[in-house]
Amino acid sequence: MPWMNQVTADRVKREFKEVEVERTKHTTNLHVRQEKLVDLMLHLKEKEGYKLFVDHTCIDFPEKKERFQGIYLLYNPDANERVLVKTWAVGGELPSLEKVWPCARWAEREAYDMFGVVYRGHENLRRMFMWEGYSHFPLRKDFPLEGIPEVELPSLTELYAGRTDPPSHDYELVHTRVPTLEDLERTEKSRLQKKAQLVLNWGPLHPGTHGTIWFLFDLDGERVVQSDVILGQLHRGMEKIAENVYYFQFLPYTDRMDYISAICNELSYVTAVEKLLEVEVPEKARYVRTMFAELQRINSHLLWLGTGALDLGALTVFLYAFREREKIMDIIEGNAGFRLTSAFLRIGGLHYDLAEGTLDVVRAFLKDFPNRLKEYHNLLTRNRIWLRRTKEVGVITREDVYDYGLTGPVARGSGVPYDIRKLEPYAAYGEVDFDVPVGEVGDVYDRYLVRMEEMVQSLRIVEQCLSKLEKLPKSAPFVNKEHPAVMAPKEEVFMALEDMVKNFRIVVHGESAPPGEVYASGENPRGELGFYIYSVGGSKPYRLRIRSGALYNLSIFPKLIKDGTIADAIALLGSLDPVVGETDR
């Protein structure tokens, strides 16, 4: 995807003389003093068309006078251009942008939670993932990967028999803090100031929440007066982990974010790393990646369809959807060896060549699946109960899409044709033909129709990839063995001494990444999954930021459910389709 063009950059420079325009190999950056940040952002949004708020994060530079640098990523849908805006947090503070883009509210809370940066003017600056009262900031460079041991957790044996010498345990007694019930109660009370009759807890463990999410509803009867979402139930510090492992070692962690679409996650990540390392991917690998990513998209949408229908009482659809999911999972398992967290891709290509018979099985699935989609339509699309529960519920406008950073089917359901596969083609998406379905009303029903049509388009893409792969020779390379940062296939490691030496060097020292920064993203089933990498050279990223489409899509939930009912909350949340492993990371 192009970055801000020179004409626009010059125009911004004339309007804001203190702005410094920096063009790197992969990005265009605007450096601005924080006192001018809000004015610049308003100008970019209202005058230059950069109205989609993509992401915000910080980078910690402990050796610098102003330690934290704020990074803002914006997108111009008319010009199809991105821009990065950078500013320093003077005294550890930045101005809030929540009045410019409402979704900045959550992004700023996350930066406050992880770095301790304070946002002036933020209406409710609270922890995002950690609990209220936690005194540390995990993404600071001086916070150890394993946490800070400060709480003693004795063994059960010691509680009954006392301390012994030698001790009755083989682990350290002092551990990093975990939240107590008092911490969780304090967190709950800090989120909503009760206005109505009753505060209802929904989750964090409830089948309707589609994962471990904790919702609070302030109710007047069945009407929702206000609501809030307490995240962090599944927070595992993946961005912190990424900064402490080699690039290739982090790939299996991406599977465990959106665990319903592991291959799509892997594809977004390796695309970013390959751009940074300048790795060319063989043609066969590009088409296999695309084919499996679209099968994974169908797989994900089937789970969304089945569970969303089950939430509203349609058990049959749930059972039918899992029938087709099993076929896709069998294809993935037959090639990757794993059904869920596949780790099938790798930097430079694939871990394995296609298993014997894979193309025949995929061809059979393509022949069968259209009839199954007709069954789903017959069960739901004109079902009067389904229509009553989904039409005109949770309406999202085009302005909401830009203000809340919405992407994926949630954005396209509101008529915004934002699809990374078209706007910035990766893998083989630039070589296949498909349409981007969009809705008109932007309600739950439109988001249902968009996902149903996306499965049809995914079939078209898989068909084209299949035809291409059938024409390629079986011996076509599936990994770039020539690039020094790419590990040799496993089956060759134990055969050639040279490959053993090469892989030992990569495993011990990691890839030698050049200094610089890169942002690349992919069209995850839940929206744009992006990876921003800031490299100072070496084998590990200095900062790796994961832009979660599910997180931003979920951020609009409190607005949409206001004045709605608990019944609407079930339908609305299902239509947003969040996965907690990705929202929490």
Side-chain angles (χ1 to χ4, degrees):
M1 182 181 294
W3 290 75
M4 177 182 279
N5 63 73
Q6 188 64 51
V7 173
T8 304
D10 292 341
R11 192 163 55 241
V12 171
K13 180 71 174 174
R14 286 194 299 270
E15 187 75 21
F16 297 88
K17 293 181 173 53
E18 68 278 6
V19 168
E20 176 188 341
V21 180
E22 177 192 17
R23 293 195 176 276
T24 72
K25 190 171 186 178
H26 302 291
T27 65
T28 296
N29 306 331
L30 302 181
H31 295 265
V32 63
R33 299 197 314 270
Q34 62 149 287
E35 57 265 26
K36 290 291 185 180
L37 175 65
V38 176
D39 292 338
L40 174 64
M41 293 304 226
L42 280 169
H43 177 83
L44 291 174
K45 180 182 181 182
E46 297 174 358
K47 303 294 185 182
E48 303 295 348
Y50 287 86
K51 51 189 176 181
L52 179 62
F53 187 97
V54 180
D55 199 18
H56 164 60
T57 190
C58 292
I59 305 179
D60 181 15
F61 298 98
E63 73 285 355
K64 294 184 180 291
K65 178 184 176 182
E66 302 300 344
R67 177 172 181 173
F68 304 105
Q69 187 178 44
I71 310 291
Y72 300 85
L73 181 61
L74 307 178
Y75 173 73
N76 184 331
D78 298 321
N80 187 32
E81 292 179 346
R82 292 189 183 120
V83 68
L84 274 173
V85 178
K86 296 186 175 185
T87 188
W88 290 97
V90 178
E93 293 188 3
L94 286 171
S96 175
L97 294 178
E98 67 173 334
K99 290 182 174 59
V100 183
W101 285 282
C103 68
R105 184 179 302 119
W106 276 27
E108 290 169 358
R109 280 179 56 191
E110 181 177 349
Y112 164 72
D113 192 10
M114 296 291 110
F115 294 95
V117 175
V118 175
Y119 290 84
R120 297 188 306 274
H122 196 288
E123 293 181 357
N124 188 28
L125 193 60
R126 303 286 184 182
R127 308 291 308 219
M128 190 70 189
F129 301 125
M130 312 305 289
W131 58 94
E132 294 298 328
Y134 188 69
S135 57
H136 306 297
F137 304 101
L139 281 183
R140 289 187 175 184
K141 289 297 183 181
D142 53 9
F143 185 89
L145 181 62
E146 68 278 6
I148 298 175
E150 54 187 334
V151 178
E152 188 170 296
L153 299 175
S155 69
L156 287 175
T157 305
E158 289 183 332
L159 290 177
Y160 288 102
R163 299 246 168 131
T164 61
D165 189 19
S168 59
H169 52 79
D170 58 355
Y171 57 87
E172 294 294 331
L173 289 180
V174 183
H175 293 256
T176 186
R177 277 193 64 194
V178 294
T180 64
L181 287 177
E182 291 77 12
D183 292 325
L184 298 179
E185 289 174 1
R186 189 185 309 113
T187 301
E188 177 187 12
K189 290 177 180 178
S190 71
R191 298 305 169 89
L192 285 181
Q193 299 301 317
K194 185 178 176 183
K195 295 180 180 178
Q197 299 173 341
L198 172 70
V199 174
L200 174 69
N201 284 276
W202 182 30
L205 296 174
H206 186 284
T209 62
H210 294 235
T212 50
I213 320 179
W214 184 358
F215 292 87
L216 297 175
F217 297 105
D218 193 10
L219 299 176
D220 182 5
E222 285 201 18
R223 184 176 69 88
V224 178
V225 176
Q226 57 174 334
S227 68
D228 198 4
V229 188
I230 303 179
L231 296 176
Q233 320 299 315
L234 200 59
H235 185 243
R236 291 161 289 173
M238 287 198 174
E239 293 180 11
K240 184 77 172 181
I241 293 171
E243 296 171 8
N244 288 272
V245 297
Y246 300 138
Y247 287 100
F248 72 89
Q249 288 178 310
F250 185 66
L251 189 138
Y253 286 93
T254 65
D255 292 341
R256 289 152 177 83
M257 294 189 307
D258 184 351
Y259 31 76
I260 306 169
S261 57
I263 291 177
C264 296
N265 303 345
E266 297 170 26
L267 183 51
S268 298
Y269 175 68
V270 298
T271 299
V273 177
E274 287 162 355
K275 181 182 287 188
L276 178 67
L277 297 175
E278 298 183 338
V279 177
E280 290 291 330
V281 180
E283 182 182 41
K284 183 176 186 179
R286 290 190 292 106
Y287 275 92
V288 172
R289 286 178 172 189
T290 305
M291 181 176 74
F292 272 82
E294 292 307 308
L295 288 172
Q296 190 81 80
R297 191 181 315 278
I298 296 172
N299 185 18
S300 176
H301 283 356
L302 285 175
L303 183 63
W304 156 81
L305 177 66
T307 54
L310 182 64
D311 288 343
L312 303 185
L315 174 62
T316 302
V317 181
F318 178 79
L319 300 176
Y320 281 18
F322 267 74
R323 174 188 59 195
E324 270 60 68
R325 283 193 81 236
E326 281 300 302
K327 298 175 184 177
I328 296 175
M329 299 294 278
D330 285 345
I331 295 171
I332 294 173
E333 183 183 19
N335 283 272
F338 302 93
R339 295 173 68 79
L340 196 65
T341 51
S342 60
F344 182 50
L345 309 189
R346 62 188 304 183
I347 298 169
L350 312 170
H351 266 296
Y352 310 102
D353 199 353
L354 284 176
E356 192 70 31
T358 296
L359 300 183
D360 295 332
V361 176
V362 173
R363 178 70 71 185
F365 178 81
L366 290 176
K367 183 178 180 181
D368 177 69
F369 190 64
N371 293 326
R372 304 307 181 188
L373 270 177
K374 290 179 182 177
E375 290 181 356
Y376 306 145
H377 277 295
N378 290 336
L379 287 167
L380 291 180
T381 304
R382 293 290 176 261
N383 184 300
R384 60 183 181 179
I385 300 175
W386 184 256
L387 293 173
R388 287 288 298 274
R389 295 297 302 275
T390 59
K391 288 189 75 67
E392 298 181 7
V393 173
V395 176
I396 297 173
T397 66
R398 292 176 69 97
E399 290 72 25
D400 288 334
V401 170
Y402 300 128
D403 286 347
Y404 283 85
L406 308 181
T407 55
V410 175
R412 295 190 286 272
S414 298
V416 178
Y418 186 82
D419 191 317
I420 300 298
R421 297 172 297 175
K422 286 284 191 181
L423 300 175
E424 188 181 23
Y426 55 100
Y429 285 112
E431 303 160 55
V432 296
D433 183 43
F434 65 99
D435 299 321
V436 178
V438 294
E440 297 178 351
V441 179
D443 56 8
V444 171
Y445 188 68
D446 268 4
R447 294 191 280 279
Y448 157 75
L449 291 178
V450 163
R451 288 187 176 96
M452 294 293 283
E453 180 59 27
E454 281 191 4
M455 288 192 276
V456 175
Q457 299 303 319
S458 291
L459 286 176
R460 288 181 61 192
I461 296 172
V462 172
E463 167 68 35
Q464 294 170 73
C465 292
L466 187 64
S467 298
K468 180 69 175 182
L469 290 169
E470 287 174 337
K471 297 173 184 176
L472 290 176
K474 287 187 177 182
S475 59
F478 60 91
V479 66
N480 182 349
K481 302 179 187 178
E482 306 305 319
H483 196 282
V486 177
M487 298 176 67
K490 285 185 177 180
E491 60 270 19
E492 297 182 13
V493 171
F494 301 105
M495 302 296 291
L497 181 61
E498 294 80 3
D499 285 325
M500 290 179 67
V501 173
K502 174 188 175 185
N503 278 273
F504 178 78
R505 177 184 58 78
I506 293 176
V507 169
V508 173
H509 301 291
E511 304 89 340
S512 180
E517 58 189 328
V518 64
Y519 176 81
S521 59
E523 190 60 41
N524 185 280
R526 262 143 293 283
E528 179 177 357
L529 179 65
F531 290 86
Y532 170 77
I533 300 174
Y534 184 89
S535 169
V536 295
S539 57
K540 302 173 184 177
Y542 184 84
R543 174 80 172 101
L544 185 141
R545 165 65 175 175
I546 303 168
R547 191 273 178 193
S548 166
L551 176 75
Y552 282 97
N553 290 350
L554 186 60
S555 71
I556 199 174
F557 180 89
K559 176 191 176 182
L560 295 180
I561 198 56
K562 186 176 181 180
D563 293 324
T565 66
I566 293 297
D568 289 341
I570 303 289
L572 172 59
L573 183 65
S575 76
L576 297 178
D577 192 24
V579 168
V580 189
E582 185 186 305
T583 61
D584 286 9
R585 285 157 282 129

